[in-house]
Amino acid sequence: MKNLNVKNLVITGLILALSGINSIGYSQKKSGEALKRGGVKLEYNYPAADYVKYLSETKMVQDMDVNGQSMLVNVSMAFGCEVKSAGKLGENLNLEIKIDTMGQSVESPQGTGGGSVNDVIGKVLNLVISPSGKIVDLSGASKIVFNVEGSGESNLGQSFLGYFPALPNNPVIEGDTWTSNDTIDSKTQTNTIWMPVATSYKFEGIEKINGVDCAKISATLTGTRKMTTQSQGMEIHTSGPFTGTQTLLFAVNEGYFIKQSVVSKMTGNIDIPDQNMSFPVVMTITSTNEIVK
């Protein structure tokens, strides 16, 4: 791979994974009996007195075929933060978020690398979401910038694009299904992401987890990822269709998510026009974000 640092390709996948795949537009097909039977209304309502602490762990396997040779890259990422209410802005929630963990490790044919992104640890920001989890104001996160080795400057905005799992707009009863269609469109100084996503949800019912009544929602995801990364003077394009599954546990009475798990697989191509190179890639991402003590 002449004049090409494999780390550039790794970072391409890294930022893609951090973008998330949560949808925010809904077309709910609700049961006509949901209200009649007193369906469950799910809404975010974080406490103001205490932080709710989360840790997100993501593992990505990027398998590339370069001139007939398989090149495997493994990326592990961790992102931890604490969330509490800072009051309401109309019907929306103003959240105070404190970052306590951010780091990554990379294993590739060139060796291992990565480490903690210390620039963001301890930073506090405000984020505004709707009661259903839709991002209303991301500017507080976007103002916090940091540097990723081999990729350059980025910001925390992309880390929160799909951070809060989407909830149905209407009350639901067990067995209800609904769909959403949305496009994630994000730009920073070093990369752009365009990702239309179609999601089909199902309310599986209420489960008691450690004494907490949790709504369980499952989902299937389909879409396309298109991303351009600027790195070391080159443009790297990654694109392809993906499919995935999602499972959400949401604390009904407390008003926040307990755990979200997402698994997705993309089969596409990486193109580097400056090097006149193009090769196939399969990217498998497994991510879990859950409450920790």
Side-chain angles (χ1 to χ4, degrees):
M1 295 185 64
K2 227 175 184 183
N3 301 323
L4 179 63
N5 189 329
V6 175
K7 277 192 175 182
N8 294 333
L9 308 181
V10 174
I11 296 302
T12 298
L14 167 65
I15 300 173
L16 199 70
L18 288 174
S19 71
I21 50 177
N22 222 19
S23 306
I24 57 176
Y26 302 95
S27 175
Q28 184 170 347
K29 180 184 174 185
K30 67 176 180 179
S31 165
E33 299 183 6
L35 292 173
K36 214 186 293 182
R37 293 200 216 157
V40 179
K41 177 62 173 173
L42 304 176
E43 291 185 329
Y44 281 94
N45 187 27
Y46 279 92
D50 299 302
Y51 281 109
V52 178
K53 187 173 182 178
Y54 292 102
L55 179 62
S56 173
E57 296 181 301
T58 301
K59 294 186 183 300
M60 183 184 68
V61 178
Q62 189 169 264
D63 191 356
M64 297 167 283
D65 186 331
V66 183
N67 298 325
Q69 291 188 337
S70 177
M71 181 174 293
L72 200 65
V73 176
N74 291 284
V75 182
S76 296
M77 292 167 282
F79 181 70
C81 66
E82 301 177 27
V83 183
K84 71 176 183 178
S85 173
K88 286 199 171 184
L89 295 175
E91 294 183 352
N92 299 318
L93 286 77
N94 182 21
L95 301 178
E96 180 180 299
I97 299 175
K98 182 166 63 175
I99 311 301
D100 58 35
T101 305
M102 189 172 187
Q104 70 210 36
S105 64
V106 179
E107 296 179 6
S108 75
Q110 286 192 335
T112 60
S116 177
V117 183
N118 294 318
D119 292 350
V120 303
I121 295 175
K123 297 289 187 181
V124 177
L125 61 99
N126 284 81
L127 198 71
V128 181
I129 65 172
S130 74
S132 64
K134 177 180 178 179
I135 294 290
V136 176
D137 186 353
L138 196 65
S139 60
S142 299
K143 290 175 184 176
I144 298 179
V145 298
F146 59 92
N147 286 291
V148 176
E149 182 184 352
S151 181
E153 186 178 281
S154 188
N155 66 67
L156 282 178
Q158 289 187 343
S159 298
F160 284 102
L161 278 175
Y163 193 85
F164 296 95
L167 301 176
N169 288 325
N170 298 310
V172 287
I173 61 173
E174 186 173 337
D176 271 356
T177 61
W178 63 99
T179 60
S180 71
N181 291 277
D182 193 65
T183 298
I184 291 174
D185 189 358
S186 175
K187 296 180 180 180
T188 70
Q189 290 185 347
T190 55
N191 68 83
T192 62
I193 298 170
W194 184 77
M195 188 164 61
V197 188
T199 311
S200 297
Y201 296 93
K202 182 179 180 180
F203 178 43
E204 303 286 356
I206 302 294
E207 293 187 3
K208 196 171 284 292
I209 309 293
N210 297 325
V212 177
D213 288 332
C214 294
K216 182 178 181 179
I217 296 174
S218 63
T220 58
L221 314 151
T222 58
T224 303
R225 294 177 181 172
K226 291 186 178 180
M227 182 173 146
T228 299
T229 299
Q230 300 281 346
S231 185
Q232 297 185 7
M234 293 185 293
E235 278 195 358
I236 302 169
H237 303 277
T238 305
S239 62
F242 71 87
T243 59
T245 58
Q246 174 185 344
T247 302
L248 169 66
L249 293 172
F250 187 89
V252 178
N253 298 317
E254 289 76 6
Y256 48 79
F257 76 94
I258 300 294
K259 182 178 181 179
Q260 176 180 232
S261 301
V262 180
V263 178
S264 68
K265 183 177 181 179
M266 186 199 85
T267 302
N269 289 283
I270 292 178
D271 298 301
I272 305 134
D274 291 342
Q275 299 288 322
N276 196 26
M277 297 181 69
S278 179
F279 40 87
V281 61
V282 177
M283 192 182 300
T284 303
I285 301 171
T286 303
S287 180
T288 299
N289 191 7
E290 62 183 323
I291 286 179
V292 293
K293 298 296 185 183

